[in-house]
């Protein structure tokens, strides 16, 4: 028999480790040491569990690319010492962090499972205990000495999702996440049932950690009646390198000349425009309607069925790495980590 399976728990903050302030009733992060006090079951696992916590745990609304880089480096540093990783993270921006890590950790051969909760762990009805316990079990799962899961995932409310396919769609329900364009990777009931056919294949070479991200991107969320001034202000953002255009339906937008001209000028200035649908599910199909054919014509790039979260992370990753726009475009339209259907 091999050595005991080992899992590293990284606590970044979020509701799962929060307590209610006695004075004003607000939720605030507490010392990670209390988390294991709250879940004595953790001590019973047949897994060697180690834990590290951010010195100052954060609400996930304060996440940014510098923290993603810090997390990627933590995994890199500990990669050979553990069989799997569980990242405790606020649910609000968990899909962004999972997406970013999926791009930054190339050739991943071990599970990196993000989880959190809607109710703090100290509250009787918390969803945090089940989420944490099962996330650890998945992070430690092996078959014939190999990790069962070899990608960045989110585990939440009995479902394991590919991280870069997820979206937080409900701010109250325990089932807070969806993966609208890709099947779940596992379901936890009486048994943990893995959907092997949906999982990424094993990494072919050694883990490669990318730690350069370029945050010079922004999002233009279209709505009927958006003004020229508003569009102009967004495309004129100083230092802008790429814009996500959140379009209607299968990638459609206004056919007003002023609007298309502004976008065409933006592209001519060397700024990339990526077309992502505002719809929760489905794909961009540029050219299907006249209202998206014009986007295709001026050089807007179709983002397929990527989530907005994956698009944000992919753009930062690709811009941080690519030598020029041609190289960036090539990467953008390719499926890098299972984030889009090609
Ligand atoms: N605001 C919290 C956060 O994202 C909510 C949660 O933990 O789920 O950090």
């Amino acid at each position: 028999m091999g050595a005991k399976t080992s899992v590293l728990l990284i606590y970044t903050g979020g509701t799962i480790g929060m307590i209610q302030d006695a004075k004003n009733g607000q939720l605030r992060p507490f010392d990670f040491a209390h988390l294991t006090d709250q879940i004595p079951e953790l001590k019973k696992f047949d897994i060697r569990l180690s834990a590290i916590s951010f010195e100052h745990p954060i609400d996930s609304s304060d996440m940014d690319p510098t923290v993603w880089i810090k997390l990627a480096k933590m995994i890199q540093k500990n990669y050979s010492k553990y069989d799997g990783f569980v990242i405790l993270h606020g649910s609000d921006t968990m899909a962004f962090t999972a997406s970013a890590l999926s791009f930054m950790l190339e050739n991943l051969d071990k599970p990196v499972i993000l989880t959190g909760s809607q109710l703090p762990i100290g509250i009787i009805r918390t969803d945090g205990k089940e989420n944490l316990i099962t996330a650890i079990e998945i992070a430690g799962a092996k078959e014939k000495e190999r990790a069962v899961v070899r990608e960045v995932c989110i585990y939440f409310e009995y479902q394991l999702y590919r991280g870069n396919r997820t979206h937080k769609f409900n701010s109250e329900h325990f089932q807070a996440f969806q993966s609208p364009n890709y099947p779940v990777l596992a379901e936890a009931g009486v048994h943990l049932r893995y959907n092997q056919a949906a999982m990424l294949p094993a990494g072919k070479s050694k883990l490669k950690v990318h730690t350069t991200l370029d945050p010079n991107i922004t999002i233009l969320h279209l709505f009927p009646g958006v003004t020229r001034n508003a569009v102009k202000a967004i495309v004129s953002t100083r230092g802008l390198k790429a814009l996500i255009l959140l379009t209607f339906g299968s990638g459609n937008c206004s056919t007003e000349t002023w609007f298309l001209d502004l976008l065409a000028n933006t592209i001519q200035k060397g700024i990339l425009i990526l077309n992502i649908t505002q719809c929760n599910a489905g794909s961009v199909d540029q050219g299907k309607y006249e209202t998206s054919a014009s986007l295709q014509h001026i050089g807007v790039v179709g983002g397929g069925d990527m989530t907005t979260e994956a698009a944000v992370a992919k753009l930062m990753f690709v811009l941080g790495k690519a030598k020029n726009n041609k190289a960036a475009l090539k990467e953008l339209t390719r499926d890098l980590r299972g984030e889009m259907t090609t």
Side-chain angles (χ1 to χ4, degrees), residues 173-286:
H173 288 179
F174 285 158
Q175 187 167 2
F177 286 89
Q178 275 179 344
S179 169
N181 287 329
Y182 199 75
V184 293
L185 301 186
E187 259 176 309
V190 172
H191 302 285
L192 250 173
R193 296 217 185 276
Y194 291 98
N195 182 0
Q196 292 287 359
M199 293 198 202
L200 287 178
K204 287 201 183 76
S205 40
K206 268 179 64 184
L207 177 78
K208 193 167 170 196
V209 181
H210 302 269
T211 54
T212 314
L213 298 172
D214 189 335
N216 285 302
I217 67 162
T218 193
I219 298 180
L220 171 55
H221 192 132
L222 294 182
F223 56 91
V226 65
T227 63
R228 182 196 296 239
N229 281 347
V231 176
K232 210 167 169 182
I234 290 173
V235 297
S236 313
T237 303
R238 211 151 154 200
L240 188 67
K241 294 199 183 137
L243 170 81
I244 294 171
L245 188 65
L246 281 187
T247 52
F248 310 121
S250 57
N252 307 314
C253 66
S254 160
T255 52
E256 291 274 0
T257 314
W258 67 262
F259 175 74
L260 293 170
D261 283 352
L262 271 178
L263 294 189
N265 286 340
T266 305
I267 293 170
Q268 269 153 29
K269 278 194 264 170
I271 296 168
L272 299 171
I273 304 186
L274 183 64
N275 185 350
I276 298 289
T277 176
Q278 294 177 11
C279 293
N280 199 27
S283 182
V284 161
D285 185 1
Q286 285 193 155

Side-chain angles (χ1 to χ4, degrees), residues 120 135 161 215 283 306:
Y161 308 96
S283 182
M306 261 192 292

Side-chain angles (χ1 to χ4, degrees), residues 13-16 18 58-61 89-93 117-118 168:
T15 300
I16 194 161
M18 285 192 175
I58 54 171
D59 185 286
S60 78
S61 304
H89 192 290
S91 60
D92 290 350
T93 66
S117 66
Q118 293 279 59
K168 182 175 179 183

Side-chain angles (χ1 to χ4, degrees), residues 269-320:
K269 278 194 264 170
I271 296 168
L272 299 171
I273 304 186
L274 183 64
N275 185 350
I276 298 289
T277 176
Q278 294 177 11
C279 293
N280 199 27
S283 182
V284 161
D285 185 1
Q286 285 193 155
K288 182 174 177 191
Y289 291 91
E290 192 188 346
T291 44
S292 67
S294 34
L295 292 180
Q296 180 93 344
H297 182 68
I298 61 174
V300 170
V301 185
D305 61 355
M306 261 192 292
T307 59
T308 307
E309 292 87 336
V312 164
K314 190 172 182 178
L315 272 177
M316 288 190 190
F317 168 72
V318 163
L319 292 174

